[in-house]
C-alpha cells in the first residue's frame, strides 16, 4: 500500500519556522567566542519580532487551514495566542539582556531554551490533536525546568528547578493518563473527532474520568488551586526574568490548550465540567488573593497574584460561550504584558548587593527613583484593575461575558452569577496588597539608604513598551477587543 505524503503549505507555518531558524542561528553564534553574548539576546528579539509580524499579518488575512493530516490547525485562535507568546518572549528577552550581564557565558543556552519553550507554546495553541498538544506541553515544560534552575550556584534556583520538575512530571502523567482515557471512550485523539464521537447521551465514566484528569493536568500547568503549590517557591527561587516568563507565556499556552479542548472537543458534557470549573475559579481567586495579603516578599506576592489571575481567566471558560473565550484570550494578553512589566520593575530595583525582594525595601522609592516608582505603580494598578489601565478592560470583559451567559431570557444561572460576585469581591481584596506596595513607595521613609544600579537601557525599553501597551489598551480597548472576538468566530 503506497504511503500518502500530505501536502504541506509551509507559508502557513512561517511563525514556527522563523522561531526554529532563530534557534539554529543562536546555536551557531553561541559557539563563536569572539562575539558578545548580548548579541544572542538581540537575535532572539529580532527573530521573535519577525514571527510576531508574520502572525499579525496572517491573523488580519483570516487564515484558517489545517496541516499535517489535520493535526495542526492554523486559525485566528492559534495566531492570536502566537501574538501573546511572542510578545512575552520579546519583553522577557529585553529584560534579560541586562539581567544576565555582559560576561555571562551561559547566555546561549538561556536564549535557546526560551525559544524552545516559545515553540512548544505555539504547538500547544495550534494543536488539533491531543498528542500534538502533549508534545508541545513537554517541549515547553522541559525547557522551563532547566531555566528555573538556571543559576546552578544558587541553592534557591536549584531548589526551584527541582520542585518544578517533580511536580511538572506528575502533572504530565495526569494529563497523559487523561488523554488515554478519552481515547478509550472516543476511539480518537483528534479534537474534532472527539466532538463527533461523543454526545451528551454517549458519555461514559471513562470519558468523565479522562476529563477530570485533564483538568488536573492543566490545573498544575496554569497554577489553579489546589494544584498551585509549586508556583510560589518556583517564582521566588527562579531568576526573576524566568519567573516573569513562567507567569506569562506558559500560563497562556496552558489556557490555549485548556480552552480549545474543552470548548471544541467536550462541549456536550459542559454541564459536568462547567460546575468543576466554576468551583475551581472561585477557589483560585480567593486563595490566591487572600494568601498574597500575607506575603512580605514581592516575588511571592506576585506568584500568588498570578494564581488569582488564573482564576479570573477561568471565569471566561466557565461562561462557555464565544464571548467568554474571546475575553479570556484578551485577558491573557493583557496579563502577560502587565505581569512581565511588574517583574521588570522588580529587576530595576537591583542594588550592588542584589535584588530588593522584601516589600519594605521599596520604602521611599517613589520619590528617590521616580522612573522605577512610576513603572511599578502603573503595573500594580493595572493588575488590580484600576481604570484607565488595560487590567480594568480585561476584568470588565471577563465579568461581562459571564453575566451575559448567566442571565438568559428563560433562566438565570445562579452559579455564574455567584462566580461574578466572588470575582468582584476578589478584585477589591487584591487592591489592598497591590496598593500596599504603592503606599510603601510613596508614603514611608526608608530604613536605610540604598545605592541602586544605573538603569539598564534594554530593561527601560522593555518597561516602556509594557507601559505603552497597558495604557494604550486601557484607553483604546477596541484595538484588541475586536481582534480577540473575531479570533473565535
Amino acid at each position: 500500500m503506497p504511503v500518502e505524503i500530505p501536502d504541506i503549505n509551509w507559508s502557513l507555518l512561517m511563525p514556527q519556522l522563523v522561531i526554529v531558524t532563530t534557534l539554529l542561528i543562536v546555536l551557531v553564534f553561541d559557539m563563536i567566542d569572539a562575539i558578545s553574548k548580548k548579541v544572542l539576546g538581540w537575535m532572539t528579539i529580532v527573530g521573535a519580532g519577525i514571527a510576531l509580524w508574520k502572525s499579525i499579518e496572517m491573523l488580519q488575512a483570516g487564515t484558517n487551514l489545517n496541516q499535517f493530516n489535520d493535526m495542526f490547525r492554523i486559525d485566528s485562535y492559534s495566531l492570536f495566542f502566537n501574538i501573546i507568546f511572542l510578545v512575552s518572549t520579546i519583553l522577557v528577552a529585553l529584560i534579560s539582556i541586562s539581567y544576565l550581564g555582559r560576561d555571562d557565558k551561559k547566555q546561549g543556552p538561556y536564549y535557546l531554551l526560551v525559544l524552545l519553550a516559545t515553540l512548544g507554546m505555539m504547538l500547544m495553541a495550534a494543536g488539533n490533536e491531543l498528542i500534538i498538544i502533549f508534545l508541545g506541553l513537554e517541549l515547553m515544560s522541559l525547557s522551563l525546568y532547566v531555566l528555573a534552575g538556571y543559576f546552578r550556584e544558587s541553592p534557591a534556583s536549584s531548589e526551584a528547578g527541582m520542585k518544578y520538575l517533580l511536580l511538572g512530571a506528575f502533572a504530565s502523567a495526569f494529563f497523559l493518563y487523561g488523554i488515554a482515557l478519552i481515547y478509550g471512550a472516543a476511539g480518537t485523539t483528534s479534537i474534532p473527532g472527539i466532538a463527533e464521537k461523543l454526545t451528551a447521551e454517549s458519555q461514559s465514566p471513562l470519558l468523565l474520568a479522562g476529563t477530570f484528569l485533564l483538568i488536573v493536568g492543566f490545573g498544575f500547568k496554569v497554577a489553579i488551586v489546589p494544584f498551585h503549590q509549586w508556583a510560589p517557591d518556583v517564582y521566588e527561587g527562579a531568576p526573576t526574568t524566568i519567573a516573569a516568563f513562567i507567569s506569562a507565556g506558559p500560563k497562556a499556552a496552558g489556557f490555549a490548550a485548556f480552552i480549545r479542548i474543552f470548548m471544541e472537543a467536550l462541549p456536550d458534557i459542559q454541564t459536568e465540567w462547567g460546575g468543576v470549573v466554576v468551583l475551581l475559579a472561585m477557589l483560585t481567586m480567593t486563595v490566591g488573593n487572600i494568601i498574597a495579603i500575607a506575603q512580605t516578599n514581592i516575588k511571592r506576592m506576585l506568584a500568588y497574584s498570578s494564581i488569582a489571575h488564573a482564576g479570573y481567566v477561568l471565569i471566561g471558560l466557565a461562561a462557555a460561550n464565544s464571548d467568554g473565550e474571546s475575553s479570556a484570550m484578551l485577558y491573557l494578553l493583557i496579563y502577560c504584558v502587565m505581569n512581565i512589566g511588574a517583574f521588570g520593575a522588580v529587576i530595576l530595583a537591583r542594588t550592588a548587593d542584589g535584588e530588593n525582594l522584601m516589600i519594605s525595601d521599596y520604602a521611599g522609592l517613589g520619590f528617590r527613583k521616580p522612573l522605577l516608582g512610576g513603572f511599578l505603580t502603573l503595573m500594580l494598578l493595572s493588575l488590580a484593575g484600576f481604570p484607565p489601565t488595560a487590567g480594568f478592560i480585561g476584568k470588565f470583559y471577563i465579568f461581562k461575558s459571564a453575566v451575559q451567559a448567566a442571565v438568559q431570557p428563560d433562566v438565570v444561572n445562579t452559579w455564574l452569577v455567584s462566580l461574578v460576585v466572588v470575582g468582584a469581591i476578589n478584585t477589591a481584596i487584591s487592591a489592598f496588597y497591590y496598593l500596599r506596595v504603592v503606599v510603601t513607595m510613596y508614603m514611608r521613609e526608608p530604613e536605610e539608604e540604598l545605592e541602586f544600579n544605573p538603569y539598564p537601557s534594554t530593561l527601560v525599553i522593555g518597561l516602556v513598551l509594557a507601559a505603552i501597551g497597558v495604557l494604550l489598551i486601557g484607553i483604546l480597548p477596541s484595538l484588541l477587543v475586536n481582534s480577540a472576538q473575531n479570533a473565535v468566530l
Side-chain angles (χ1 to χ4, degrees):
M1 181 178 178
V3 178
E4 292 186 11
I5 301 176
D7 293 329
I8 300 172
N9 186 348
W10 292 104
S11 64
L12 296 177
L13 304 175
M14 194 56 67
Q16 290 83 358
L17 292 176
V18 170
I19 293 298
V20 171
T21 304
T22 306
L23 193 152
L24 294 174
I25 292 172
V26 169
L27 180 63
V28 170
F29 276 82
D30 183 42
M31 294 187 281
I32 305 174
D33 293 330
I35 327 180
S36 169
K37 298 302 178 184
K38 291 177 68 174
V39 174
L40 304 178
W42 287 109
M43 289 178 178
T44 302
I45 292 167
V46 171
I50 294 171
L52 175 62
W53 167 73
K54 191 63 184 175
S55 295
I56 293 173
E57 187 181 68
M58 293 170 66
L59 179 64
Q60 291 174 340
T63 306
N64 188 1
L65 290 169
N66 293 344
Q67 292 287 288
F68 298 106
N69 287 331
D70 296 338
M71 292 192 297
F72 207 73
R73 187 187 305 179
I74 311 298
D75 58 359
S76 298
Y77 180 87
S78 63
L79 291 169
F80 191 91
F81 271 104
N82 280 357
I83 293 171
I84 299 176
F85 308 146
L86 294 166
V87 165
S88 301
T89 300
I90 291 169
L91 290 176
V92 168
L94 277 170
I95 67 177
S96 296
I97 290 174
S98 60
Y99 185 80
L100 296 176
R102 184 184 300 273
D103 302 322
D104 191 336
K105 299 299 183 184
K106 298 179 291 183
Q107 291 188 46
Y110 177 95
Y111 292 114
L112 284 171
L113 289 166
V114 168
L115 288 167
L116 277 172
T118 304
L119 181 61
M121 297 176 215
M122 296 167 82
L123 289 176
M124 289 179 69
N128 203 31
E129 254 261 357
L130 296 182
I131 300 300
I132 296 295
I133 291 174
F134 178 73
L135 291 175
L137 178 68
E138 288 307 290
L139 179 60
M140 176 190 77
S141 298
L142 291 172
S143 303
L144 294 177
Y145 300 152
V146 181
L147 286 170
Y150 175 76
F151 291 147
R152 287 177 293 177
E153 64 280 2
S154 166
S157 182
S158 299
E159 181 184 350
M162 184 58 66
K163 285 181 177 178
Y164 198 14
L165 169 63
L166 292 176
L167 289 173
F170 276 109
S172 296
F174 281 118
F175 186 77
L176 192 58
Y177 196 20
I179 291 176
L181 292 181
I182 289 177
Y183 176 74
T188 179
T189 54
S190 166
I191 290 177
I194 294 170
E196 289 176 8
K197 296 286 180 65
L198 302 177
T199 63
E201 293 75 25
S202 67
Q203 61 182 270
S204 65
L206 205 62
L207 171 65
L208 297 178
T211 303
F212 174 74
L213 288 175
L214 286 187
I215 292 175
V216 173
F218 280 125
F220 272 107
K221 295 301 179 183
V222 300
I224 294 171
V225 175
F227 316 111
H228 67 288
Q229 298 92 338
W230 60 271
D233 292 338
V234 171
Y235 283 36
E236 182 182 14
T240 305
T241 52
I242 298 306
F245 190 50
I246 293 172
S247 71
K251 186 182 286 287
F255 275 113
F258 198 168
I259 294 170
R260 192 189 281 278
I261 292 173
F262 279 74
M263 291 294 291
E264 296 185 18
L266 305 170
D268 288 319
I269 58 168
Q270 191 271 328
T271 51
E272 281 73 18
W273 58 257
V276 176
V277 169
V278 168
L279 180 61
L280 290 177
M282 289 180 177
L283 277 173
T284 303
M285 289 184 292
T286 306
V287 171
N289 282 319
I290 289 177
I291 299 182
I293 293 174
Q295 302 307 308
T296 56
N297 182 298
I298 196 164
K299 283 175 74 173
R300 290 187 73 87
M301 186 199 83
L302 289 173
Y304 281 106
S305 158
S306 175
I307 292 166
H309 282 280
Y312 297 131
V313 179
L314 281 178
I315 296 176
L317 178 59
N321 58 20
S322 59
D323 284 339
E325 200 173 340
S326 62
S327 63
M329 294 163 64
L330 175 67
Y331 194 91
L332 285 165
L333 176 55
I334 292 170
Y335 167 75
C336 287
V337 173
M338 60 189 181
N339 209 51
I340 292 175
F343 276 103
V346 171
I347 297 172
L348 204 61
R350 291 173 88 181
T351 65
D353 297 327
E355 293 174 326
N356 292 301
L357 299 179
M358 305 307 292
I359 294 175
S360 58
D361 293 335
Y362 290 77
L365 278 187
F367 296 109
R368 290 163 53 214
K369 306 290 283 186
L371 187 63
L372 164 62
F375 280 137
L376 188 54
T377 299
L378 176 61
M379 298 307 162
L380 292 176
L381 290 177
S382 185
L383 285 165
F386 283 92
T389 63
F392 170 77
I393 299 300
K395 285 188 172 65
F396 173 79
Y397 279 99
I398 279 281
F399 293 153
K400 175 173 172 283
S401 67
V403 169
Q404 288 178 336
V407 182
Q408 299 294 331
D410 52 343
V411 65
V412 174
N413 188 325
T414 54
W415 276 100
L416 281 179
V417 172
S418 301
L419 180 58
V420 173
V421 172
V422 171
I425 293 171
N426 272 282
T427 299
I429 293 173
S430 71
F432 172 80
Y433 61 83
Y434 290 128
L435 292 178
R436 180 182 60 182
V437 180
V438 178
V439 168
T440 300
M441 286 195 296
Y442 288 98
M443 299 183 184
R444 292 187 183 167
E445 292 296 324
E447 296 179 1
E448 59 176 324
E449 292 294 328
L450 300 174
E451 291 295 328
F452 292 92
N453 293 337
Y455 290 149
S457 58
T458 53
L459 179 54
V460 172
I461 290 171
L463 287 172
V464 167
L465 291 175
I468 290 172
V470 165
L471 289 174
L472 195 60
I473 298 169
I475 297 169
L476 299 171
S478 59
L479 294 174
L480 279 179
V481 171
N482 294 336
S483 296
Q485 290 174 341
N486 293 335
V488 296
L489 294 179

